[in-house]
Amino acid sequence: QKEVEQDPGPLSVPEGAIVSLNCTYSNSAFQYFMWYRQYSRKGPELLMYTYSSGNKEDGRFTAQVDKSSKYISLFIRDSQPSDSATYLCAMRPIQGAQKLVFGQGTRLTINP
Amino acid sequence: ETGVTQTPRHLVMGMTNKKSLKCEQHLGHNAMYWYKQSAKKPLELMFVYNFKEQTENNSVPSRFSPECPNSSHLFLHLHTLQPEDSALYLCASSQGQGGPNSPLHFGNGTRLTVT
């Protein structure tokens, strides 16, 4: 079983839609949860992070962590064509880790 | 220049060639990383350097040889590669352990094709 599972998509939605991206994981030691965004021909960049369980909001983006279900989500409201990218979840334990574990990434296209 | 710069952007090499990938970071970070990104697979950590010392080798075949002469520069020397080594090779840097308060900063990668 992979430590982190993420549906690779592709996912295509119309502009203005609410997008939900998800990852599941198996390692209960994970405490930091991150979302990276990767545009075509670019490297990933950190979009949001959360620590342990709960929600975090930043503009049109909301990150949710449900540790009891080992499930994390990224919601994008009022999606824009500029949100078209690959979204990678990443996570790690508190201690000892320069070893972020990444999901496969979900390729998202927002259609005007 | 700012950020993390990788050269070349694209590289095509035969299985018997020797080539090197270069990474330079202008962020003053103390840790540098090599990752491999293959289609439909998660990012794979290859090597980690902290203050020029290698602290992680994630069971990478010896045909990949990293070098970190100082905290700002990182190389990946390649020799006798296999076609399955074709991928996007990403360099990253961080201040500290790469957690939320010291996130990874990635370069734009070198697209490697082994023929």
Side-chain angles (χ1 to χ4, degrees):
Chain A
Q1 182 185 9
K2 293 178 185 174
E3 276 194 291
V4 179
E5 298 268 8
Q6 183 177 9
D7 186 341
L11 180 62
S12 182
V13 301
E15 183 176 356
I18 296 174
V19 177
S20 173
L21 304 169
N22 312 293
C23 290
T24 59
Y25 63 95
S26 58
N27 188 343
S28 57
F30 289 146
Q31 294 283 350
Y32 287 121
F33 303 91
M34 284 155 259
W35 287 94
Y36 280 78
R37 178 175 60 194
Q38 185 174 20
Y39 290 114
S40 180
R41 290 184 291 278
K42 297 286 188 181
E45 57 179 346
L46 181 66
L47 183 62
M48 293 188 70
Y49 73 87
T50 52
Y51 170 68
S52 195
S53 285
N55 292 0
K56 185 172 184 178
E57 190 173 320
D58 184 1
R60 297 184 294 108
F61 297 87
T62 300
Q64 279 187 357
V65 175
D66 181 348
K67 292 192 68 183
S68 62
S69 302
K70 295 190 177 69
Y71 188 88
I72 71 170
S73 300
L74 178 71
F75 297 95
I76 308 174
R77 292 185 302 279
D78 188 24
S79 55
Q80 305 294 310
S82 58
D83 296 326
S84 298
T86 297
Y87 290 81
L88 304 106
C89 63
M91 50 199 78
R92 51 158 279 195
I94 292 178
Q95 295 295 337
Q98 282 180 290
K99 295 174 66 173
L100 277 180
V101 181
F102 284 86
Q104 286 178 275
T106 300
R107 187 173 173 184
L108 172 66
T109 300
I110 309 296
N111 300 303
Chain B
E1 286 208 46
T2 59
V4 180
T5 304
Q6 289 187 245
T7 54
R9 289 299 308 272
H10 301 273
L11 178 62
V12 179
M13 59 186 290
M15 293 169 60
T16 58
N17 290 160
K18 289 184 180 181
K19 296 286 185 183
S20 295
L21 310 185
K22 180 183 176 182
C23 176
E24 183 174 1
Q25 59 99 357
H26 304 270
L27 300 168
H29 290 164
N30 54 29
M32 296 189 77
Y33 310 71
W34 281 115
Y35 279 88
K36 177 183 179 182
Q37 188 173 35
S38 304
K40 299 187 178 181
K41 293 177 76 174
L43 277 171
E44 299 174 53
L45 179 65
M46 301 175 71
F47 302 103
V48 182
Y49 279 82
N50 285 282
F51 295 102
K52 304 186 302 177
E53 298 298 321
Q54 188 180 124
T55 55
E56 189 75 36
N57 177 337
N58 207 22
S59 302
V60 180
S62 60
R63 57 186 184 269
F64 295 91
S65 175
E67 179 189 1
C68 188
N70 55 60
S71 294
S72 298
H73 293 86
L74 185 64
F75 296 89
L76 188 62
H77 304 299
L78 315 171
H79 64 98
T80 59
L81 294 191
Q82 305 297 311
E84 61 265 28
D85 297 323
S86 299
L88 182 68
Y89 289 84
L90 290 161
C91 174
S93 69
S94 71
Q95 184 65 24
Q97 293 201 338
N101 294 323
S102 57
L104 297 175
H105 291 255
F106 286 90
N108 290 329
T110 294
R111 174 67 63 185
L112 173 67
T113 303
V114 181
T115 61

